[in-house]
Every structure is written in C-alpha cells, then in structure tokens.
Amino acid sequence: MPPSPSPPACPFFARWRWIPPLLLGVWMTGCASLPSEVDRPVSTALADPTETRIGRAVQARAAQAETHNDSGFALVNSAELAFTSRMALISASEKTLDIQYYAIHADETTLRMFDALRAAAARGVRIRILLDDFNTAGKNAQVLKLAFEKNIELRLFNPLPGGRGSLFFRILGSLKDMDRLQRRMHNKIFVADNAVAITGGRNLGETYFGQGEGTNFIDADVLAAGRIVRELSRSFDLYWNNPLAYPVESLMTAAQLEAMKPPPAAGLPAGQIKPVNGETSAAAGGNITGGAPAKPARPAVRKVTALDGSVSVADPLPDSTNLALLEWTWAPSTLLVDKASKIAADADAVEASQDTTVDGLLQLMAEAKSDLLIVSPYFVPGRRMMDQLAAIRQKHVRIRVLTNSLASNDAPAAHVGYARYRKDLLGLGIELYEMRAEQESTLSGFSSLGSSGSAGGSRASLHAKIVVLDDSLLVVGSMNLDLRSQLQNSEVALVIRSRKLAADTTRLIEPALAKGAYKVELENGQLIWRAPQGSQLKDSRTEPDASLGLKLMLTLIGPLAPDEML
C-alpha cells in the first residue's frame, strides 16, 4: 500500500519561516559585548620626518620655492591621481604610514593597495590603520586581515558588538544604543613618513577612484606637505590612542576572519581574481598583481618618479601622477578637527559646545565679504545654520551651493532633510545647483576632481566637500554641511589661504554648475529645475531623473524624519 501523502505545509509558517532565525540573530547580537580589558599600546607619529627621503625632499622643495610658508599643497584633480598618488606615497615611504578612514571597501582597487602596503611592511615600514567600525561587515570584513600582517596594526574606532557576517544584524543589535551607533569617525587621512599627507572626502574603494560599475563618486583631495602634516599626525595619534580605538585582535581572530572569506568569483578557480580591466591575475593570499585598475586596460608596467625624486617600478601611472612634477603652492594653513569632546568614551552631546569642525567652518564662512562657493553632497542645514546663512546673505554675499539631486544622491534620506529647506534657502537668495546623475563623459571642470562621470556606463554621485571663500580661502575636508557632521561624526578639514588654489578650485567647479547640474529656482512659489546649458534637456517641475519610488519616499518620510538623523 503506497504511503499516504504528506499534508501540505502550512502557508503561514512557510511564508514566515525566516522569523525565528531573525529573532535568534537579533538576540545573539544584542547579547554581545565589547571586551573590557584591551591591550592598547600607545604609539605616536615619526618624530623627525627629515630622517626620510620624503622629508628631505619637502625641505628641498620649500627651499627652492624661497617661501616663508611652512606648508605646501597640490590639488588632487582626478580620480586616477587620487589612487596613484597614494600608491606612490606607499612606495616611497621609509619609516611610517598612518592611514585613517571611515570606510575601506574590499575590492580589486583596494586589494592592489593592500599588496603595496604588505610590500612596505616587508621592508620595515610601520603601518598603522585606523578604521571606523561601521562598514567592517560582510565582504568588507576581509580588510581586517591586514591586522595580522607583520608591521601592520589595525584598530577599529567605536566598534559595534556582535558578529560581522551581516551589517543589517549588527545595526539591529545596536539599536538599543543609538547614540553610540551614530557616533562615527568620518576622518580621512593618509600620511607617509609624517612628511606628506593626502586628505579630503574620499574613502578607499573602487567607487572613489572612478572604477565602479554602477556609481562613481565625484570627490576631491589635497596633497599636503610640511608643518601641516605634523598637525594631521597629531590628530591621528589622538584618535589612535583613544579608548574607543580597539585593536582588531581584541575583537576577533584570524581564523574567524578566514571562516568568513567569501567563495571565489564564479568561473574562476580559487586564488584567481578578475580585475576591472578584464584580465585575470593570480592572487595568492589575497594579493593581486598586474596593471592599475582601469577601464579599459592600461599600458604595461613602467618606472615611476615619487615626490622625493626616487624611481621605482609600480603599476602604470600617467605622467601627471609623478609626484615630483606636481605644482606645489606654499601657503598659510590651519587644521579643523573635532576635539576630544567628540570622541571621548563618555562624551555628552556636543550641540552646545560649538567646538567642532563644522562649527569652525561656519565661523570662517561668516567672514565672507563677497562670495561663498559651497560643495556639499549632503546639505541639511538645520535652523541654526540657516540663521547663520541668513546673516551672511544680509551682507550681500553671493552664496552658491552645489549638492546632489535626488537621483544622484547615494543617501536619499539625506535629500529628504535638504528638501525641507530648499524653498527657504532660495528665499534667502542662495543659488542652488543639484548634480545630475548622468554626466557627459566629455564634461570638463569639476568632473576632473573625481570620477569620470558616465564613462563606462556608470552614474555620478557628488561626494566632495569644498568651500571657497572670497576667491582667497579654500577648505577641503571630510565634513558635510549637515547636522550629522556637526553633532555626531568626527571630521577633519584643511583651511588653505591661497588665492591661487582657491581660484584653481573655482575654475574646476564652475563648469559643473553650468553643464553638469540643474539650477533650482522658485517660480510663482513653486520649484523649477532649470536644465544645464546645452544639454538638450527640458526644465522640470519635479525632481529630475528620479524614480517614482524615490519621489514617493521624499513625500512620505519628509515630514517625519528629524534633521539630525538624515
């Protein structure tokens, strides 16, 4: 007699069978805690940069310039230069590399950089990497393997308890401590031998170097040398030796990281990775060799000249990335950096302190006499900042703001906060420009500060943070003009008093205002987006290029979400 058929599965339990493991995951994450006893040896930046070739080269360049200023600067005006200049500094370093970032993504571009870091460590360079913990889950957790390499230390700032298999579960398990969850280290610093540094808006990953297949960020960095670098290093040391900075080894083991290693890419044998140029390279131990990341393939390997004039063999670099050939401007400068109140383990709210990077920037902006050019991808001013902008406008200062459109914004929730102030900003006489997601591949100007726009079929998203004041002062850093940067994230920015650099930066940005962005205006009390010049596009009375879903989100979330959460 045949067996009786099994009863049909209950549709309810079949549909919701994922709930028990979800609740279990939340419970396990919620029960996790950080170690109470942590071995955190104190270390500091290289005391005497002149002990290194890079340090001596900086001194020689300053002497050659016959300047009284003790700090030199060069704009990093392309995504390729942003990558290759970092690679050149790694190659030229002799003593130390100090690297501080909000996010380092595990992809072909950064793996190539990790190869260079391993090579530097092998020749005796001490490498310290300080990384915010928020993005160190899933695939990106593999970045943490660097902590187990000789001469490389890696610490995580303000880590979340729990496993790293899923960012979703880590966030879910930390909702009970929202204040801690939102206090992120947003600084971006790359220092070689305490003599030359790169700082600005970029994190490390293919989308920040123009190599993303979907979206590439338009971003900006500055290469700095001399006395200002020592200030950046002091800031790094403050964060590195902070109680909120946990050595990776205190949180997990190398075996745990190895167990999380994703399987090899489909169609490739183990140990092989397919670079973006379409060629397959051997990747023993996660290493990648071959040409620099590119679309399309790059030329063969060649010799490269570093800042100190030394020549090395490295990934192919265009002539413009020979650091010895960069045009340096020597100028007075200061560093804006969040003080200890922002990063203390028991920090109170900083809203009343007015002692943050963004507050310092707002004080500088208040000095404007004629012109203020602001580039901020996430622009959520809040009422206090609106009052400050109104006071600046009362002095008849022209204010132009370039920010993301709803379509180009990689964080649409931030656009929600911006949208609620848009009419008030226009009412003050502030000129608003919103970056188009689809850029012409031939667009000159601001696109050269970051990704190559739509080259390779990718979309553009603004990520640079720049202020130019009265054509005489330039600020480049990690901060956005929003309440998250002002009240929650830690930030850093360079303030450079140079008419030349300010004018050069303005010339890079203004073509994007004219050709790569919609100008937002008020017409009979209603918003209208004016199409870029010569674009063959039509003006729009709704958020241009945005999907219906994004527009609906703007309508539904707009009235509800508080500014400081966006």
Side-chain angles (χ1 to χ4, degrees):
M1 184 175 180
S4 301
S6 300
C10 175
F12 176 84
F13 288 108
R15 183 175 300 172
W16 302 103
R17 61 182 179 270
W18 52 269
I19 288 182
L22 172 64
L23 294 176
L24 178 62
V26 173
W27 178 78
M28 291 179 66
T29 305
C31 291
S33 61
L34 296 172
S36 57
E37 298 295 330
V38 177
D39 184 18
R40 191 183 289 107
V42 173
S43 60
T44 56
L46 181 67
D48 186 3
T50 61
E51 295 177 352
T52 67
R53 290 178 301 173
I54 301 180
R56 291 190 294 271
V58 170
Q59 283 189 326
R61 293 289 290 271
Q64 184 181 12
E66 297 181 345
T67 178
H68 295 295
N69 296 306
D70 53 12
S71 299
F73 304 93
L75 291 176
V76 180
N77 60 4
S78 74
E80 188 170 42
L81 178 57
F83 175 76
T84 54
S85 58
R86 286 168 171 84
M87 293 290 280
L89 288 182
I90 295 172
S91 177
S93 62
E94 289 182 294
K95 298 287 187 178
T96 61
L97 285 165
D98 290 331
I99 300 170
Q100 180 181 16
Y101 281 93
Y102 169 66
I104 301 179
H105 300 293
D107 53 44
E108 286 90 344
T109 304
T110 52
L111 287 175
R112 197 176 310 280
M113 191 174 291
F114 298 165
D115 277 353
L117 289 173
R118 291 186 183 97
R123 65 175 185 266
V125 177
R126 183 200 69 182
I127 300 174
R128 298 185 296 173
I129 301 174
L130 182 58
L131 178 60
D132 185 83
D133 179 72
F134 190 76
N135 292 286
T136 60
K139 176 185 175 182
N140 293 333
Q142 297 305 307
V143 171
L144 305 183
K145 287 184 176 180
L146 288 173
F148 302 93
E149 301 274 354
K150 183 180 179 181
N151 286 338
I152 300 180
E153 299 176 75
L154 200 159
R155 294 183 181 180
L156 295 177
F157 196 85
N158 194 18
L160 306 178
R164 299 182 182 276
S166 165
L167 178 59
F168 173 76
F169 281 122
R170 299 191 79 217
I171 295 174
L172 208 59
S174 300
L175 291 180
K176 63 183 183 299
D177 191 0
M178 283 295 294
D179 288 341
R180 180 184 180 90
L181 177 64
Q182 294 192 88
R183 289 172 55 206
R184 307 319 321 164
M185 184 192 74
H186 203 233
N187 311 39
K188 293 135 175 115
I189 298 174
F190 196 108
V191 186
D193 287 339
N194 201 11
V196 177
I198 301 174
T199 190
R202 278 184 181 85
N203 295 298
L204 301 184
E206 61 185 15
T207 57
Y208 297 94
F209 298 120
Q211 299 301 314
E213 294 295 336
T215 297
N216 281 305
F217 289 113
I218 294 178
D219 221 320
D221 290 320
V222 170
L223 200 64
R227 186 264 313 162
I228 196 68
V229 177
R230 262 80 82 195
E231 292 192 27
L232 286 166
S233 290
R234 280 192 289 272
S235 170
F236 179 95
D237 287 345
L238 176 66
Y239 284 77
W240 178 260
N241 296 310
N242 189 275
L244 287 179
Y246 286 68
V248 169
E249 299 90 333
S250 70
L251 302 171
M252 62 190 315
T253 66
Q256 289 173 322
L257 277 172
E258 186 63 27
M260 294 173 56
K261 188 175 181 179
L268 290 175
Q272 297 285 313
I273 295 179
K274 187 176 182 180
V276 290
N277 64 7
E279 299 174 359
T280 301
S281 299
N287 295 349
I288 295 181
T289 57
K295 288 185 283 211
R298 296 295 186 200
V301 170
R302 63 164 128 173
K303 293 182 178 180
V304 178
T305 306
L307 172 69
D308 61 352
S310 62
V311 178
S312 61
V313 175
D315 288 337
L317 309 176
D319 291 340
S320 62
T321 63
N322 287 352
L323 300 187
L325 303 180
L326 285 178
E327 181 181 3
W328 289 77
T329 298
W330 298 84
S333 60
T334 55
L335 181 68
L336 296 178
V337 64
D338 287 311
K339 304 300 189 294
S341 61
K342 202 78 167 286
I343 61 172
D346 57 348
D348 296 323
V350 297
E351 184 170 4
S353 71
Q354 298 188 27
D355 188 24
T356 72
T357 298
V358 173
D359 287 315
L361 176 58
L362 291 171
Q363 292 168 20
L364 286 172
M365 288 165 51
E367 300 174 5
K369 295 180 173 58
S370 61
D371 189 85
L372 196 57
L373 176 58
I374 298 170
V375 178
S376 183
Y378 318 121
F379 185 53
V380 187
R383 294 316 317 176
R384 195 173 84 186
M385 198 180 302
M386 285 293 294
D387 291 342
Q388 292 167 304
L389 292 171
I392 296 171
R393 281 292 298 143
Q394 286 177 355
K395 299 188 298 179
H396 305 291
V397 173
R398 183 189 187 189
I399 302 179
R400 292 175 291 172
V401 176
L402 175 63
T403 190
N404 273 306
S405 64
L406 178 58
S408 70
N409 204 320
D410 72 309
H415 194 86
V416 169
Y418 156 68
R420 65 175 56 137
Y421 291 99
R422 198 157 34 191
K423 286 187 177 181
D424 289 344
L425 289 164
L426 292 171
L428 291 175
I430 294 174
E431 301 170 44
L432 293 182
Y433 296 84
E434 296 182 6
M435 176 72 69
R436 287 192 61 216
E438 302 294 337
Q439 295 288 332
E440 298 295 333
S441 60
T442 57
L443 177 66
S444 61
F446 186 61
S447 64
S448 66
L449 278 175
S451 73
S452 53
S454 61
S458 62
R459 294 165 63 85
S461 181
L462 183 66
H463 198 260
K465 304 94 164 56
I466 301 172
V467 171
V468 182
L469 188 149
D470 291 339
D471 296 321
S472 61
L473 183 146
L474 171 65
V475 183
V476 178
S478 66
M479 70 291 149
N480 300 295
L481 279 178
D482 64 4
L483 296 186
R484 182 172 292 279
S485 281
Q486 187 174 18
L487 303 179
Q488 295 165 340
N489 294 345
S490 67
E491 309 284 358
V492 64
L494 286 181
V495 180
I496 309 168
R497 297 186 180 274
S498 166
R499 289 191 176 276
K500 181 184 184 308
L501 288 178
D504 288 347
T505 304
T506 299
R507 280 194 294 270
L508 288 168
I509 296 171
E510 286 186 331
L513 301 181
K515 298 180 180 180
Y518 289 94
K519 186 176 183 183
V520 189
E521 297 179 353
L522 278 176
E523 186 175 88
N524 299 323
Q526 299 300 313
L527 295 173
I528 184 169
W529 284 260
R530 301 295 184 189
Q533 301 171 10
S535 66
Q536 307 302 314
L537 298 171
K538 296 181 179 180
D539 294 348
S540 177
R541 294 189 179 274
T542 62
E543 304 276 351
D545 305 327
S547 67
L548 180 61
L550 284 175
K551 294 177 182 178
L552 184 62
M553 183 208 69
L554 193 68
T555 303
L556 295 178
I557 298 179
L560 304 175
D563 290 346
E564 58 272 14
M565 295 286 290
L566 300 174

